[in-house]
Amino acid sequence: MSLQLDENLVRSIVSEVVRNIRSATGAAPAASAAAVAPAAPPAPFIASGALSGPRHGVFQDVPAAAAAARKGFEQLRAKGVAARRQVVDIIKKLATANAETWGRFEFEETKIGRLEHKIAKLQIVPLVPGVEWLRPYALSGDHGLMHEEYTPFGVVAAILPVTHSVPTLSGNIINAIAAGNSILFNPHPGGARSAALAVRAYNEAIHAATGIENLVCTIEKPTLESFDALCKSPLVNLLVVTGGPGVVNAAMKSGKRAICAGPGNPPVLVDDTVCADKAAKDIIYGCGFDNNLLCIGEKQLFVLDRVANALVRSLEKAGAVRLLPAQTEKLAREAFTMKPDAAGCSHPVLNRELVGKDAAALAARAGLSIPPATPILIGETDPDHPFVLEEQMMPMLPIVRVKTVEEGIALAKKSEHGYKHSSIIHSLNVDRMTEMAREMDTTLFVKNGPSTTGLGLDGEGYLSYSIATTTGEGITNPQTFTRTRRCVLVDALKIY
Ligand code: NAD
């Protein structure tokens, strides 16, 4: 049986997935936590009886896991690039075949986001590039030949966010193994069972196809101590961190080389040159996707005053529910607690209980009863409101009116905090697009579409759930997980 995935087939599957979500979403999407039936028994791909053990890659402690991952790396190295290709195809195939079961399992475990988007995030895993991405760089001249190869680090240790445990895990595996590494995960404790479920299934299939054991490993009960042990392990060669500011800071201080996919707070700016209905639909899709858990999702909206009323009407027409100022403030008091920071200044702290919850659940906190399928809430605020400045990861979009595009860009930039993550504009004016792109200086900049197009969903480009913003590698791909090594041949093999 050939597991090779055809590029055009993948694209058409992805477009189909996006179309299905959009038609299901439209003005009124998504199964809510309340509406979803209890989880089915997990994973058709758990074949054998043993739930953990060396072959399955699920470990209790870091030293054993790191030693197994090192052996996995050595076995992969011995089997060569053909085995890497096989593994990449296995991950893509299993992620899509198990999308429904694993998506549901993760939804039940984490209790955040939207079920159909959990499933969709796995169905599109084939968009992550594989071995074909790596092309050596070569030069020839009067002195002979030089070529540079993209070679593996060895064991990659990866930290997962709770917002997309198995999707990030699957994308990281493809990137790391296409580049010739093995990989060992310290998942978020809230998504660790989902990670272990996928790791067991992946390892079983990899072992059956290639004979390699423990190419993918995970810590069953991850803790801050296991993170620390990974950072200190001499067997770990590279860290890949996907998460918020705390873990990024910890990784950067660890002394180990780290690729950091850090936090974002993406603003979206709408001017007076676009169709309000189209912009509204795009914004709702991006902001509402998985209840705004994506780090690239539209988190705050700046709109030119003269078109603000029209845009709000379009947002409401497309399914958003508008909160009155008093309701917005009531929800804000539930969503944030004011606490003193190190300097003694009062600072809003996010209430994690509301992260990734349905718009209807948030509306209830604001004293409002709305249909469970409502995609997002909207509410007008000032530019210094916590909903604007904090990365709140909720389907609640604060709207700020601005007098000029320049003011909008300046406020958008302030709200992004220099994370250099993502920003979005809806405008047909090329000068404004250019000005915002230059000012924001973000890793992703999307023009006239939902933020999700930035990851290849109905936009051009490839997928990764780890966008290395803090350390600057960008949307991670197999090359991100390589060391560049040069070979030189002096004076020989000059055939011209
Ligand atoms: P989080 O920072 O709470 O947790 C991320 C991971 O880090 C978890 O595995 C957690 O256990 C661990 N962790 C947290 N603090 C730690 C510390 N001090 N030391 C060691 N480990 C620590 O984030 P989350 O809620 O799971 O995910 C959401 C965050 O991740 C958001 O800030 C979002 O923007 C970011 N994110 C970024 C990307 C990207 O590609 N740039 C992708 C997804 C999520």
Side-chain angles (χ1 to χ4, degrees), residues 155 173 204 219 340 488:
V155 177
I173 295 174
E204 239 181 84
I219 303 300
V488 173

Side-chain angles (χ1 to χ4, degrees), residues 265-271 300-302 405-413 415-416 422-427 429-442 444-447:
N265 197 34
V268 50
L269 176 66
V270 179
D271 78 3
Q300 59 278 355
L301 167 63
F302 299 93
V405 166
E406 290 71 25
E407 185 195 3
I409 293 173
L411 291 175
K413 184 171 178 167
S415 73
E416 214 268 332
S422 302
S423 49
I424 303 107
I425 189 171
H426 290 269
S427 171
N429 181 317
V430 174
D431 290 343
R432 291 171 176 175
M433 293 177 188
T434 312
E435 189 188 341
M436 185 165 174
R438 292 176 76 97
E439 272 303 305
M440 296 301 302
D441 200 12
T442 45
L444 265 185
F445 184 60
V446 173
K447 300 176 279 286

Side-chain angles (χ1 to χ4, degrees), residues 112 158-164 168 186-191 222-228 231 241-251 260-266 293-296 299 350 352 355 391 393 419 421-422 455 464-470 474-476:
I112 54 176
I159 313 303
L160 297 175
V162 72
T163 45
H164 353 277
T168 312
N186 203 52
H188 189 289
T223 58
L224 291 183
E225 288 71 34
S226 60
F227 167 81
D228 200 43
C231 292
V241 171
T242 309
V247 67
V248 166
N249 288 340
C260 294
N265 197 34
L293 288 179
L294 289 188
C295 54
I296 59 169
K299 297 287 189 300
L350 184 61
R352 297 286 305 200
V355 167
E391 189 196 15
M393 294 179 281
Y419 290 140
H421 196 300
S422 302
L455 289 187
S464 170
Y465 291 106
S466 296
I467 307 165
T469 46
T470 318
I475 320 289
T476 54

